[in-house]
Amino acid sequence: MNSHLMEQSEDLERIELLLLLEGIYQQYGYDFRNYSFQYIRRRVWNRIRCEGLQSIPSFQERVLREREMMDRLSVDFSINVTEMFRDPSFFLAFRKKVVPLLRALPGIRIWHAGCSTGEEVYSMAILLFEEGLYEKSTIYGTDMSGSALDKASKGIFPIRKMQMYTKNYMLSGGKQAFSEYYSVQEKGVVFHSFLAENIEYFQHNLAIDHSFNEFHIIICRNVLIYFNDILQQRVLNLFRESLVPLGFLGLGNKEFIPNNLQRNDFIELDPQEKIYRKNAALLGRAIGTGRGWGRL
């Protein structure tokens, strides 16, 4: 196939994928239209092969007519790459640079956006427990995938991953034996129930849903890389609006806040670990509204 025909084929494929995403939005209300094109392309073709189909149009017809097919594709689109204390240096920096600034607060609200099956939520719960902050904290774990949240709420994880998780925990500044936080049961590793007492899970779609509270900390790591520029901007604006002045935002190591948004609304607390703080200059705007770092 010559280059001209290849370009035509790629253009047609893009149109077919855009029509699929538009059809999903119109039929089901799920908005994947501003996800990264290459990410969507890989996931769609993987599902097409799994279903034994040959083309995007034939797949689109099935998706729009069969709810079960849409449910399977929705799971494929969910971002479920996660592990406990993932990128331990992030959690170590959080312990050293953020935790000391939390101690004076009477209460702490934390949002883990795109929490998948809950590994990082439990990681934060353990960290806060060790720092003596868990009792006054509430952690909200949200994801667009109901099946992922079901797994998160059960707090059961594969025992085969505990060796890696233990290593991550120690590198993150863990203060005791990681095994003290869980027990081994027939179905896998179950974390002790006290860690879940201040955790709430519910569905939230970053592409279409709005803020549901004001937070002192928002963690959304390795999610923005799957969105295009339009959706990244939308989500960062959502986080900015959802943070109290002087609140913290933690992103993944391949993510960043664009200069125009960072210059106006955020300062870098740790450039390497992508930990930001909402600009103190915004504090003055919140004085008359009851919003602020020390207010609940």
Side-chain angles (χ1 to χ4, degrees):
M1 183 181 296
N2 62 41
S3 59
H4 179 66
L5 291 177
M6 287 183 63
E7 288 179 6
Q8 284 187 323
S9 177
E10 291 173 358
D11 289 343
L12 179 59
E13 180 191 49
R14 180 177 288 272
I15 292 171
E16 290 173 342
L17 285 168
L18 292 175
L19 288 172
L20 170 64
L21 298 181
E22 183 63 32
I24 289 171
Y25 178 67
Q26 295 294 332
Q27 178 74 346
Y28 299 107
Y30 299 148
D31 193 353
F32 302 107
R33 295 173 297 177
N34 287 312
Y35 277 52
S36 161
F37 178 78
Q38 292 303 323
Y39 175 75
I40 290 293
R41 180 179 182 273
R42 289 194 302 270
R43 294 302 176 100
V44 166
W45 277 110
N46 178 69
R47 177 50 50 190
I48 289 173
R49 288 189 289 268
C50 289
E51 301 294 340
L53 301 174
Q54 302 298 321
S55 68
I56 296 173
S58 62
F59 179 60
Q60 175 177 303
E61 182 177 4
R62 295 280 302 276
V63 168
L64 298 184
R65 293 180 180 276
E66 301 174 20
R67 179 63 194 229
E68 296 79 5
M69 184 73 77
M70 181 64 243
D71 289 342
R72 291 196 288 274
L73 181 61
S74 180
V75 171
D76 291 338
F77 284 168
S78 299
I79 302 162
N80 294 321
V81 180
T82 186
E83 62 189 51
M84 295 201 71
F85 294 96
R86 184 181 184 185
D87 302 322
S89 57
F90 171 87
F91 287 91
L92 184 61
F94 189 92
R95 283 185 191 265
K96 292 181 176 180
K97 298 185 178 182
V98 178
V99 164
L101 301 173
L102 301 176
R103 298 196 183 281
L105 292 176
I108 304 167
R109 290 186 299 273
I110 303 173
W111 178 15
H112 274 270
C115 72
S116 186
T117 47
E119 282 85 342
E120 289 198 52
V121 173
Y122 272 91
S123 302
M124 181 60 70
I126 291 170
L127 187 156
L128 293 171
F129 172 76
E130 292 186 346
E131 299 296 336
L133 299 175
Y134 186 65
E135 287 190 2
K136 65 175 182 178
S137 299
T138 303
I139 305 175
Y140 300 87
T142 68
D143 200 272
M144 62 167 285
S145 170
S147 60
L149 293 174
D150 286 342
K151 293 179 181 178
S153 64
K154 293 175 182 176
I156 303 174
F157 302 100
I159 192 170
R160 68 178 184 277
K161 295 186 177 181
M162 286 304 111
Q163 184 175 1
M164 177 182 64
Y165 291 174
T166 299
K167 180 179 179 181
N168 287 353
Y169 164 75
M170 297 307 297
L171 291 173
S172 74
K175 296 184 176 181
Q176 57 190 53
F178 188 55
S179 58
E180 293 186 16
Y181 291 109
Y182 63 81
S183 60
V184 179
Q185 300 183 8
E186 183 177 349
K187 294 183 179 180
V189 165
V190 180
F191 280 83
H192 296 324
S193 59
F194 77 87
L195 290 172
E197 290 178 356
N198 295 351
I199 297 174
E200 299 182 20
Y201 292 107
F202 55 90
Q203 281 186 280
H204 183 278
N205 188 334
L206 291 171
I208 58 174
D209 291 333
H210 301 288
S211 180
F212 57 93
N213 209 326
E214 292 180 343
F215 301 95
H216 300 94
I217 302 161
I218 297 177
I219 307 293
C220 184
R221 304 178 62 240
N222 306 301
V223 174
L224 296 181
I225 55 175
Y226 297 102
F227 300 160
N228 67 13
D229 292 344
I230 295 173
L231 186 51
Q232 285 182 11
Q233 187 72 31
R234 191 239 187 228
V235 173
L236 288 171
N237 285 333
L238 172 65
F239 291 160
R240 179 191 59 193
E241 295 167 2
S242 301
L243 278 172
V244 300
L246 298 176
F248 298 96
L249 173 63
L251 301 179
N253 55 20
K254 296 180 180 178
E255 300 166 333
F256 64 95
I257 297 177
N259 288 335
N260 65 317
L261 191 61
Q262 180 180 332
R263 182 173 59 250
N264 296 326
D265 295 334
F266 290 95
I267 57 173
E268 288 183 318
L269 184 67
D270 190 314
Q272 183 173 350
E273 299 303 331
K274 304 302 173 66
I275 300 175
Y276 300 85
R277 195 169 195 190
K278 195 169 180 179
N279 198 332
L282 298 176
L283 187 59
R285 303 179 196 173
I287 291 176
T289 66
R291 298 182 64 193
W293 178 243
R295 301 295 294 270
L296 286 176

